[in-house]
Amino acid sequence: MITKMKKLTFLVYHKEYELFLQKIRELGVVHIVEKQLGEMDDDLQQFIQKRVLYKNMLQNMYAWADKQPDETIYAEKSADVLTKEYEELQVRIQDLNQQLPAISKDIAQMEMWGDFDWQSVQRLEKAGLYVRFYTCPEKEFDEVWVKEHNAIIINEQGGVIFFMTVTSQAVELERESLRLPSLSLSELRQKQAKTEEMLSQAKDALKAFCKKNYRTLEKCSIQLEGDIDLLKVKRNSREMAEGVVVLLEGWIPEDNQHEVQTLLDNSSVYYEIRPATREDNAPIKLKNNAFTRMYEVLTKMYGMPDYAEFDPTPLVAPFFSLFFAFCMGDAGYGLALILLGFFLKKKMPESMRGMMNLVITLGVFTSVIGTILGTFFGVNLFDLELPDQLKQFMIVGKIGETTYDKQMLLALIIGVVHICIAMLVKAIGQTVRFGFKESLSAWGWLLLVVGFIATGGLSFFKVISEDVSTWAFIVIGGISAIGIYLLNNIHRNIFVNIGAGVWDTYNMATGLMGDVLSYIRLYALGLAGAMLGGVFNQLAFMVNDAAGPVLGWIFCGVILIFGHTLNIAMSCLSAFVHPLRLTFVEYFKNSGYNGKGEAYKPFATVKNN
């Protein structure tokens, strides 16, 4: 559910404004109203740029520190100093990394000529001889060069000849001489080894720096977040009476009204408090029980509800769990998720334990639904010798003499129920926001769809006679048509309403069928996972029979563990994505949910999580 909000308006004497902001900040429950103030000033822009820089640095430093930074905080070190030292170390590493390819290139070039001493070449040149280095294809090498220019073949590789000339005069051949590195091959290799050692030392220095200073920079980043919040609050203040007083507006949850009023009554501040209305753009704070709270992350992924809307999380929670379990479709995989959740809950930090509770909950749902669907680690439970009392709860096989699968029909029934609930939520929501007269079209469609489904079901199972069902269809259709075609907007011309109703009919007829068929994916994904699990079982025991009693069981265990682990991973991915799509597309579309609300973010002292 959505927490009720109260609108606050403050008038503060300008000399007491800073102290007042500090008190509000320490209280940590006031959401400041942000106004459109045009372009941000230079101070705020610089703060935001620093925040991005610190965030990127912290991510890199955490990785360099092997995710185990020291907990010591050095208060005497500023963020600017840490940033400068970090960048210098990074530049050092980048410079060494750039040197290594150039050295490797020189080594590759000198390997063709061997490890000779450049000082010997220089002595020849001092003696009046000219030494030149050349390369050419084998077929272009001229033997005349050997006689006339003392050409000496040094190496030959891949049809290419590497040779040098020693002449008493500066004579150039028809091809350009090479410029070789100024160091010998052994010197280059020594330089490469030294550079690699320096690079290793630089990386060790950076790792030590990150491990030592991560928490210090993290604290600086947290302080910067607080400075940004404070600056934003000041930007959203408005000076009045020639700057004598400052006007500030905000929101507080209704539960925190008493403590805020106590603070304001003890301050020399004029204030007004009024309840938020549905027309206000009040921030949204969700308030749910322990079970539903785990699924608030899904609602936030799509977008927070508007203050005039309903919180979709209480309905998202059970249906998403059901969809996830249906897609997994295996009781054994559910047990694996439960064990994984409990194991990771002990290893994860406090902030991630709520997510592990969600994993455990989804595992419980998967175990129950997987048992109903009759699958345990790819094994068909219905084929085992289990008590009939247990098998009667399993939904397996075909429907009577038809070729239709019971689980596919169950998926479609779940889809119909889900969409009908969405339409009910839409009708109630429009009634609450705009009044019953403005929501007759939504109620008409709800009556038509639910009424026709209920009447058709009762007629199919012979609960009501054919004549009664016929008259029920006529009455339901007639009443629904009034709301859909005549009263869909009581402020418009009746002929415009009829046209709009016809257009809505086309959209509903095409959309509802596609929406319902989308739920077949629940059956298809569960079936695919069960079949793949069964294939791994068959493969494992085939290998067991072929490899003998000892190796057979070893290979069988490896295949079973690897196969089912892979299947669980793939099933979890699909079981998360596709139920999310059914929620975000089919349900939210038919329930009229927009998700454009603003999340409640109180002005508070930023703390390290």
Side-chain angles (χ1 to χ4, degrees), residues 98 100 120 165 238 264 427 459 560 568 581:
Q98 290 173 357
L100 283 174
S120 300
T165 61
R238 186 173 59 184
L264 297 176
S459 178
L560 287 176
I568 289 174
R581 183 198 182 279

Side-chain angles (χ1 to χ4, degrees), residues 171-202:
V171 178
E172 295 289 344
L173 303 184
E174 295 178 356
R175 54 190 64 253
E176 186 177 355
S177 61
L178 300 179
R179 286 183 172 272
L180 297 182
S182 59
L183 299 177
S184 66
L185 182 59
S186 58
E187 291 173 335
L188 285 172
R189 286 174 175 167
Q190 291 175 3
K191 182 178 180 181
Q192 182 185 47
K194 184 178 180 180
T195 304
E196 289 176 346
E197 182 182 358
M198 293 168 62
L199 177 61
S200 177
Q201 292 174 353

Side-chain angles (χ1 to χ4, degrees), residues 40-54 80 224-225 227-228 231 235:
M40 65 178 68
D41 55 34
D42 293 339
D43 291 339
L44 183 56
Q45 190 170 11
Q46 290 177 5
F47 280 176
I48 292 177
Q49 289 174 351
K50 281 188 176 182
R51 179 174 64 182
V52 174
L53 174 62
Y54 294 168
D80 292 337
L224 180 64
E225 287 287 346
D227 294 339
I228 291 175
L231 191 55
R235 279 171 50 83

